[in-house]
C-alpha cells in the first residue's frame, strides 16, 4: 500500500538523518489520498518547504519507495489547499502516525487506521486494543492529528473513559446532564480512549455512553475506541457491546525481536545516543517491555552518556538491571492463563460472576496469585475482576487459605500453578 510505504520511508529517513535537521521540514507534511499506486503526492504547508524538500529529498524518497514497493514511484509535492486550524490542547505534540513504528506484524492494524482516515464512517466503530503501553493513545492522537492536518474544519472530540464517567457523574450532581450530552455529541469524529475504565462505573454511565455512541454511529460519523482487551472480554451490557462489536476490531501486537531492535535503534537516534549495533542489540534484549520502557531506558543511558560515562556491555548491563527485572515480572494475564490451564476454566469464567465451585475456586486462586506474584493491590484486583470493592478479594484470600490447609489435592494444584508462574518469570 502506497501510504504504508510512505510511513516506512519517513521512518527510515528520520532514522538515518538527525531529527533536529529533518523534523522542521516534514512537520505538517502528509501523503495525499492515493488514487494511483505509481504516484505519491505529498501535501506541504508552504512554498519554502516545498522547494527544500523537492531539491533535497525527492531522490531519497523515490529510491526508498521503489525498494519497498518493487516498482518506480513518481514523487510530487503540492502546497495544501488550506492550512489546517490550530491543534487542540489535548493533542500530544509527539504522537504522530509517522513516529509510531508498527512493524510488519501490525500491518493490518495500520491499513485499518488509514482506511478510517480516508473513509470516515465505513468501518465504524474502529476499535484498537492492546496491553498497557502498547501505543493505543499514541495512535489515536496520531489519527486525530492526521485528520486535522487534512481538514482543519473537522471537529474531533477526544475523551478518556475515566473522564467520560467523571464528567457524567458530575453533571448529575450539578443538574447539568443536558449540557453534558450536548458537549459529547457536537463533534464530527468521536474518540474514546480506555473503554475498559467504563466497565467499573455505574450502569447509568454505560447507558449514557451507549446513547452517545449511537448518536455518532447512526449519523455515519467515525467513532474510534481503545481498550486493553478485546471488547467481547469486557462483558458490557448487551446493547453497548453490540454497538462496539459491530465495527472493526484491531489488536496492537507486541513487537517481535526484529521490531524491538528497530525500535531501540530509532529511539536511540532520537535521543542522540550513538552506539554500535551489538550494544543496541543488547539493550533490546534487556528491555522487554513496550515503547515506554525502551524510551525510559534509553533516556537513562542518554543522561549517563552526557556525564562522560562510557557505554559498554558492562555499564549497560549494570544501569539497565532494573529493566531486566521488568522482563521477568508476572502479569495478571500470566496468572489468568496459568490458573485457567491448571483448573480447566476459561479466562471469561475466571473473570465472571458464576458461584459454581468449579468457577469460584480457581477465581479465588487467581485473585490471590495476582496479589502475591503479579504485585497488584487488593483494590486493583477487585477492579480487574469487576468487584465492588476489595472485601471480595479478602474473602478469596480466606477461602484459599482454608483450602490449602484442608485439601492435599488443592494444595498440589495451587503449588503447580505457582511453579508455572515462576517459570514464566525466568
Amino acid at each position: 500500500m502506497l501510504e504504508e510505504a510512505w510511513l516506512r520511508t519517513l521512518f527510515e529517513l528520520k532514522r538515518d538523518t538527525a531529527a533536529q535537521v529533518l523534523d522542521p521540514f516534514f512537520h505538517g507534511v502528509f501523503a495525499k489520498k492515493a488514487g494511483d499506486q505509481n504516484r505519491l503526492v505529498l501535501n506541504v504547508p508552504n512554498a519554502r518547504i516545498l522547494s527544500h524538500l523537492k531539491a533535497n529529498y525527492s531522490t531519497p524518497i523515490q529510491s526508498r519507495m521503489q525498494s519497498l514497493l518493487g516498482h518506480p514511484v513518481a514523487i510530487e509535492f503540492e502546497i495544501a489547499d488550506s492550512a489546517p486550524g490550530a491543534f487542540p490542547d489535548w493533542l500530544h505534540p509527539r504522537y504522530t502516525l509517522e513516529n509510531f513504528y508498527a512493524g510488519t506484524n501490525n500491518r493490518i492494524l495500520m491499513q485499518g487506521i488509514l482506511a478510517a482516515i480516508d473513509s470516515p464512517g465505513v468501518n465504524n466503530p474502529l476499535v484498537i486494543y492492546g496491553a498497557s503501553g502498547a501505543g493505543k493513545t499514541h495512535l489515536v492522537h496520531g489519527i486525530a492529528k492526521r485528520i486535522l492536518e487534512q481538514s482543519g474544519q473537522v471537529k474531533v472530540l477526544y475523551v478518556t473513559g475515566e473522564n467520560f464517567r467523571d464528567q457524567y457523574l458530575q453533571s448529575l450532581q450539578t443538574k447539568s446532564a443536558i449540557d453534558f450530552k450536548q458537549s459529547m455529541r457536537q463533534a464530527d469524529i468521536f474518540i474514546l480512549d480506555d473503554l475498559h475504565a467504563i466497565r467499573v462505573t455505574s450502569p447509568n454511565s454505560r447507558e449514557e455512553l451507549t446513547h452517545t455512541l449511537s448518536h455518532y454511529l447512526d449519523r455515519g460519523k467515525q467513532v474510534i475506541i481503545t481498550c486493553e482487551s478485546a471488547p467481547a472480554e469486557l462483558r458490557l451490557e448487551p446493547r453497548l457491546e453490540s454497538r462496539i462489536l459491530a465495527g472493526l476490531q484491531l489488536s496492537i501486537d507486541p513487537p517481535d525481536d526484529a521490531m524491538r531492535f528497530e525500535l531501540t535503534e530509532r529511539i536511540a537516534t532520537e535521543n542522540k545516543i550513538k552506539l554500535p549495533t551489538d550494544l543496541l542489540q543488547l539493550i533490546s534484549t534487556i528491555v522487554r517491555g513496550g515503547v515506554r520502557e525502551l524510551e525510559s531506558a534509553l533516556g537513562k543511558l542518554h543522561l549517563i552518556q552526557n556525564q562522560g560515562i562510557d557505554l559498554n556491555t558492562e555499564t549497560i548491563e549494570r544501569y539497565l538491571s532494573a529493566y531486566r527485572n521488568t522482563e521477568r515480572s508476572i502479569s495478571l494475564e500470566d496468572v489468568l492463563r496459568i490458573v485457567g490451564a491448571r483448573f480447566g476454566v476459561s479466562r471469561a469464567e475466571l473473570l465472571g460472576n458464576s458461584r459454581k465451585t468449579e468457577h469460584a475456586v480457581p477465581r479465588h486462586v487467581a485473585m490471590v496469585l495476582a496479589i502475591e506474584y503479579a504485585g497488584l493491590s487488593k483494590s486493583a484486583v477487585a477492579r480487574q475482576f469487576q468487584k465492588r470493592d476489595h472485601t471480595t478479594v479478602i474473602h478469596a484470600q480466606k477461602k484459599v487459605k482454608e483450602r490449602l490447609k484442608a485439601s492435599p489435592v488443592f494444595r498440589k494444584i495451587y503449588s503447580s500453578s505457582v511453579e508455572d508462574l515462576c517459570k514464566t518469570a525466568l
Side-chain angles (χ1 to χ4, degrees):
M1 186 177 180
L2 193 68
E3 192 167 358
E4 279 187 87
W6 159 243
L7 292 176
R8 177 68 187 185
T9 295
L10 186 57
F11 163 72
E12 291 181 356
L13 286 172
K14 288 186 175 183
R15 181 190 63 191
D16 299 339
T17 309
Q20 66 269 26
V21 174
L22 194 72
D23 284 350
F25 293 101
F26 279 92
H27 179 73
V29 175
F30 61 90
K32 199 171 181 180
K33 185 175 179 180
D36 181 356
Q37 292 296 306
N38 298 314
R39 177 171 168 262
L40 175 68
V41 179
L42 297 176
N43 275 4
V44 300
N46 55 55
R48 182 180 68 86
I49 291 179
L50 185 151
S51 177
H52 178 83
L53 295 181
K54 190 172 183 179
N56 295 280
Y57 289 99
S58 290
T59 301
I61 291 173
Q62 193 171 39
S63 62
R64 290 171 191 266
M65 291 287 290
Q66 181 171 344
S67 176
L68 290 168
L69 294 171
H71 59 78
V73 177
I75 309 299
E76 299 178 17
F77 298 92
E78 289 182 358
I79 298 175
D81 294 335
S82 59
F87 290 142
D89 293 339
W90 54 263
L91 205 56
H92 197 295
R94 288 182 55 213
Y95 291 167
T96 68
L97 292 182
E98 287 78 9
N99 63 22
F100 179 86
Y101 179 54
T104 55
N105 56 339
N106 283 310
R107 183 169 293 167
I108 295 176
L109 166 71
M110 295 308 296
Q111 287 177 346
I113 287 172
L114 295 174
I117 293 171
D118 290 340
S119 304
V122 174
N123 295 314
N124 216 7
L126 172 64
V127 183
I128 302 170
Y129 65 94
S132 177
K136 300 182 295 295
T137 299
H138 184 141
L139 279 174
V140 293
H141 279 245
I143 293 168
K145 186 172 289 185
R146 175 66 64 82
I147 290 169
L148 291 169
E149 284 175 342
Q150 293 183 356
S151 174
Q153 306 304 313
V154 174
K155 190 165 187 179
V156 180
L157 177 61
Y158 170 89
V159 63
T160 66
E162 184 178 3
N163 285 341
F164 184 94
R165 176 195 67 200
D166 293 346
Q167 288 179 37
Y168 172 70
L169 294 176
Q170 185 179 22
S171 75
L172 296 181
Q173 294 170 358
T174 58
K175 298 182 180 179
S176 57
I178 293 177
D179 292 338
F180 170 79
K181 291 178 182 181
Q182 290 177 344
S183 70
M184 288 292 160
R185 302 178 189 182
Q186 41 73 43
D188 300 304
I189 294 177
F190 179 70
I191 299 175
L192 178 69
D193 200 2
D194 294 340
L195 169 68
H196 46 274
I198 293 290
R199 69 178 181 178
V200 294
T201 189
S202 68
N204 288 342
S205 297
R206 294 193 293 274
E207 183 179 359
E208 181 59 34
L209 176 60
T210 303
H211 293 316
T212 300
L213 294 181
S214 296
H215 169 85
Y216 287 104
L217 296 173
D218 290 347
R219 289 163 177 77
K221 294 184 175 182
Q222 184 67 56
V223 173
I224 302 169
I225 298 171
T226 75
C227 52
E228 289 187 347
S229 59
E233 296 178 1
L234 298 179
R235 295 186 294 112
L236 301 167
E237 284 80 359
R239 188 178 173 203
L240 176 57
E241 184 178 75
S242 67
R243 275 299 200 179
I244 294 170
L245 294 182
L248 178 63
Q249 302 170 51
L250 299 170
S251 65
I252 303 179
D253 293 333
D256 55 22
D257 290 342
M259 178 180 169
R260 188 181 300 281
F261 172 74
E262 290 203 31
L263 279 169
T264 305
E265 189 178 38
R266 186 194 78 184
I267 296 169
T269 300
E270 291 174 351
N271 283 276
K272 304 173 188 176
I273 302 174
K274 295 182 179 179
L275 291 172
T277 300
D278 61 323
L279 292 183
L280 290 173
Q281 188 69 58
L282 173 63
I283 295 168
S284 71
T285 302
I286 292 173
V287 185
R288 305 299 292 181
V291 176
R292 290 177 189 168
E293 286 80 3
L294 277 170
E295 289 178 335
S296 172
L298 286 159
K300 183 177 182 179
L301 292 178
H302 180 52
L303 292 174
I304 292 167
Q305 198 174 53
N306 283 345
Q307 293 172 10
I309 299 174
D310 181 47
L311 292 181
N312 53 42
T313 300
E314 182 182 348
T315 54
I316 288 174
E317 287 272 10
R318 181 167 75 252
Y319 286 112
L320 297 187
S321 59
Y323 295 92
R324 191 180 290 281
N325 291 338
T326 299
E327 176 189 357
R328 299 181 179 186
S329 64
I330 295 170
S331 68
L332 175 61
E333 289 302 320
D334 292 327
V335 172
L336 296 175
R337 174 174 52 80
I338 286 170
V339 172
R342 283 290 173 184
F343 285 86
V345 294
S346 68
R347 184 182 187 280
E349 289 167 338
L350 285 173
L351 294 173
N353 295 313
S354 170
R355 295 186 179 181
K356 293 180 179 179
T357 302
E358 60 267 31
H359 297 152
V361 171
R363 185 181 305 122
H364 291 162
V365 171
M367 288 180 174
V368 171
L369 295 182
I371 294 170
E372 295 183 359
Y373 291 91
L376 298 182
S377 66
K378 294 184 181 70
S379 297
V381 172
R383 286 196 300 272
Q384 293 294 333
F385 283 81
Q386 302 181 55
K387 306 303 178 186
R388 285 186 175 275
D389 53 50
H390 67 280
T391 56
T392 304
V393 182
I394 295 173
H395 174 73
Q397 290 177 308
K398 179 182 176 182
K399 287 296 184 182
V400 168
K401 188 175 181 180
E402 290 173 355
R403 285 183 177 276
L404 285 171
K405 288 181 179 179
S407 172
V409 174
F410 178 81
R411 199 157 51 237
K412 183 176 181 180
I413 297 175
Y414 184 89
S415 298
S416 298
S417 299
V418 170
E419 287 177 9
D420 291 344
L421 281 174
C422 292
K423 290 177 183 176
T424 298
L426 293 176

